[in-house]
């Protein structure tokens, strides 16, 4: 949750219309901790609300360290290409909280968001609950009140005790790439983190699994065996890879698909697309059992999968930022890119993309939260970058200062200059002139949101 939510307090008895920011600010004071993993509080609230999680259309529940949002973006695009209507819950947001809750294909309106938040607030009756828990309840309430064909749920943190893990029987679950992140909450080892992520598995519910570190894979397989949850694993049950034409090639026991090049950039997006395709193939079997979705479900086929792979969009994931007001600060012919990755696993896959960017010099603007493993993020990037400028993330109390981030970059072999602000950082990396270059802004989704605003918006 961003720290810049409005602090205005509005009484529930007021005749003036409430606004989502004011309700969110009020709800943020109901629990002393922002993160406190538990299902007890949200299950209590959902019981008072009439268990909206039981009234959802078929659910795809996605956990993992990296790639969750992109996987959901691919799957949503495939479903919508088939004419299906989709609820989507993701986090965090980049610019507006409303981005987190997409009801029947449309970002929730302010009035509707304020309404479900207030209903949850009244039902909660002042009991302790985290902001993520109560906003998850609000999303489920909004989804239960609107018809749709599929619900896509992204875990916020972990899986086993994540607030989204209240759906008793999803249609399919998915686990994207698992790596070290949020160790203070999920455990210090890859095995412990994989155990938390695999907590979304349910008896007899298939789970699509991306290729994993061997230790993580072993934990997921053990959990699946205990529960009797069938696994569809990358490399065994399905695989996806780039082909010579620049597109992708997907193969499973059911079908082989030649796919176009995704709009989402980065070699790592192939894996996320593969997870989404494997989920879509399962949904194509499940949805015809629902009378209201059967006709459209037949259109969830090779054609709609191809269209979804090509059309999927997910801001701040290796997104090109020109034209725009920040891009205009760079010399003519330079490129500006943005990526919200913020942990060592994300840095490793980003480094693989940078390996392919050898046609022009690369410079970096970096900002990170103090809670992240900055050394682990910066080290994989070191061999690929030229000039580096660091910034403090505007409006984030938990941000590393520009000087702190520069010191961390320096001890990882990247001399860096601390900049006063983002514009100053861009001017610094472009200051040496030279050949046409790329500039990558990275290190935090919170920084990414600021960049999108300053450059002109999400698109």
């Amino acid at each position: 949750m961003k720290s810049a939510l409005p602090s205005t307090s509005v009484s529930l008895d007021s005749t003036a219309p409430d606004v989502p920011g004011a309700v969110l600010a009020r709800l943020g004071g109901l629990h002393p901790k922002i993160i406190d993993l538990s299902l007890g509080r949200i299950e209590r609230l959902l019981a008072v609300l009439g268990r909206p999680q039981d009234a959802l259309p078929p659910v795809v529940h996605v956990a993992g360290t990296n790639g969750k949002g992109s996987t959901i973006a691919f799957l949503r695009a495939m479903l919508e290409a088939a004419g299906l209507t989709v609820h989507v819950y993701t986090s965090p947001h980049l610019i507006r909280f409303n981005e987190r809750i997409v009801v029947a294909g449309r970002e929730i309106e302010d009035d509707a968001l304020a309404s479900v938040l207030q209903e949850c607030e009244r039902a909660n009756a002042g009991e302790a609950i985290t902001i993520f828990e109560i906003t998850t309840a609000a999303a489920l309430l909004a989804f239960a009140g609107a018809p749709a064909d599929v619900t896509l749920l992204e875990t916020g943190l972990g899986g086993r005790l994540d607030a989204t893990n209240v759906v008793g029987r999803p249609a399919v679950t998915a686990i994207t790439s698992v790596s070290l992140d949020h160790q203070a909450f999920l455990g210090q080892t890859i095995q412990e983190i994989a155990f938390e992520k695999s907590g979304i598995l349910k008896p007899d519910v298939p789970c699509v699994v991306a290729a994993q570190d061997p230790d993580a894979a072993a934990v997921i397989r053990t959990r699946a065996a205990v529960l009797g949850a069938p696994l569809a694993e990358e490399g065994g049950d399905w695989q996806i890879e780039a082909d010579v034409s620049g597109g992708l090639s997907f193969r499973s026991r059911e079908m082989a698909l030649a796919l176009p090049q995704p709009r989402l950039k980065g070699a790592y997006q192939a894996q996320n697309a593969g997870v989404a395709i494997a989920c879509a193939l399962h949904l194509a079997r499940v949805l015809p059992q629902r009378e209201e979705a059967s006709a459209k479900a037949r259109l969830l086929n090779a054609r709609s999968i191809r269209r979804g792979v090509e059309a999927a969009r997910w801001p701040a994931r290796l997104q090109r930022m020109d034209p725009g007001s920040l891009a205009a600060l760079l010399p003519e012919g330079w490129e500006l890119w943005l990526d919200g990755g913020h942990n060592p696993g994300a840095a490793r896959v980003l480094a693989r993309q940078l390996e392919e960017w050898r046609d022009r010099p690369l410079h970096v603007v970096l900002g990170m939260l103090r809670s992240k493993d900055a050394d682990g993020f910066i080290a994989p990037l070191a061999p690929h970058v030229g000039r580096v400028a660091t910034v403090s993330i505007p409006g984030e109390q938990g941000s590393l200062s520009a000087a702190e981030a520069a010191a961390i970059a320096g001890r990882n072999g990247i001399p860096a200059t601390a900049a006063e602000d983002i514009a100053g950082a861009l001017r610094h990396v472009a200051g040496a002139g030279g050949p046409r270059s790329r500039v990558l802004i990275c290190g935090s989704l919170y920084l990414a949101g600021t960049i999108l605003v300053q450059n002109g918006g999400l698109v």
Side-chain angles (χ1 to χ4, degrees), residues 43 45-56 140-141 144 166-168:
E43 286 176 340
L45 173 57
L46 291 172
V48 177
L49 291 169
R51 295 187 60 84
Q53 72 271 32
D54 296 338
L56 303 179
L140 298 175
L141 190 63
V166 292
V167 176

Side-chain angles (χ1 to χ4, degrees), residues 273-350:
V275 174
I277 293 167
C279 289
L281 293 177
H282 178 75
L283 285 172
R285 294 190 297 270
V286 171
L287 292 176
Q289 300 171 16
R290 303 179 73 241
E291 183 177 349
E292 62 270 34
S294 59
K296 290 183 285 187
R298 287 194 290 274
L299 298 177
L300 184 54
N301 53 27
R303 182 172 180 268
S304 55
I305 287 172
R306 289 190 184 97
R307 289 173 59 194
V309 167
E310 189 172 31
R313 305 186 72 163
W314 194 233
R317 279 70 175 182
L318 208 61
Q319 177 184 355
R320 187 162 174 177
M321 300 296 292
D322 40 18
S325 56
L326 291 179
L329 299 175
L330 298 175
E332 184 178 354
W334 285 43
E335 296 177 3
L336 181 62
W337 292 77
L338 176 66
D339 191 84
H342 50 264
N343 55 49
R348 287 191 292 272
V349 297
L350 184 58

Side-chain angles (χ1 to χ4, degrees), residues 23-88:
V23 189
L24 289 165
R26 200 163 58 233
L27 296 176
L30 292 176
H31 197 285
K33 297 179 182 178
I34 294 176
I35 299 173
D36 183 16
L37 298 179
S38 167
L39 293 180
R41 293 179 295 271
I42 189 170
E43 286 176 340
R44 169 189 51 77
L45 173 57
L46 291 172
V48 177
L49 291 169
R51 295 187 60 84
Q53 72 271 32
D54 296 338
L56 303 179
V59 170
V60 181
H61 195 193
V62 182
T65 305
N66 295 302
K68 300 186 297 293
S70 296
T71 295
I72 285 177
F74 277 120
L75 183 53
R76 176 187 176 185
M78 294 170 196
L79 294 167
E80 291 182 339
L84 293 158
T85 306
V86 188
H87 296 321
V88 187

